Amino acid sequence: MKLKPLHDRVLVKRLEGEETTKGGIIIPDTAKEKPMRGEVIAAGPGKTDDDGDHIKMSVKKGDIILFNKYAGTEIKVDGVELLVMREDDILAIIED
C-alpha cells in the first residue's frame, strides 16, 4: 500500500532506541519508552495560510527527526508500524 500525506502531515517510521545503557545494563521491553526519533517516509506538500499563500514543508523524505513523545496517530501499513503527524509536532531535524 502506498500512502501520500496531505497538507502539513508527515509519515514517520520510529527508529528503535538502545537495548542497553551506557553502563551495560540490558533494558527489558516492558521498561523501554517509545523512541522519539524517526525517519520521514513521506511528507505532504505543505499548508496554505489565511491569505492563500503556500507554506512549504521544512522536512523531506529521508530526514531523521525528533518529535513529541505522544505525537501523531499510529497506523500499520504492510505490517510496519508508522506514525502520521503534523509538521508542528516535529521538534528538530537531526543532522550528523
Side-chain angles (χ1 to χ4, degrees):
M1 183 184 329
K2 191 171 185 178
L3 292 176
K4 180 180 177 185
L6 299 176
H7 306 293
D8 65 335
R9 303 279 198 299
V10 180
L11 190 62
V12 177
K13 180 179 179 184
R14 285 187 196 266
L15 297 177
E16 292 302 318
E18 295 293 320
E19 299 286 328
T20 59
T21 64
K22 290 181 182 178
I25 299 172
I26 298 173
I27 303 170
D29 289 338
T30 55
K32 287 185 198 172
E33 290 190 18
K34 291 186 176 182
M36 297 184 305
R37 289 178 12 148
E39 179 181 357
V40 175
I41 302 300
K47 60 183 172 182
T48 307
D49 65 10
D50 295 334
D51 297 329
D53 296 325
H54 181 73
I55 301 171
K56 230 173 79 157
M57 297 287 279
S58 301
V59 296
K60 62 186 179 310
K61 182 178 179 179
D63 283 347
I64 304 299
I65 59 167
L66 181 68
F67 52 86
N68 287 328
K69 190 174 197 173
Y70 300 106
T73 303
E74 293 182 356
I75 61 170
K76 202 170 219 178
V77 178
D78 297 332
V80 178
E81 290 187 21
L82 301 173
L83 286 170
V84 177
M85 66 179 69
R86 289 189 174 273
E87 186 181 27
D88 293 343
D89 291 331
I90 297 172
L91 303 173
I93 297 172
I94 301 171
E95 298 176 347
D96 288 333

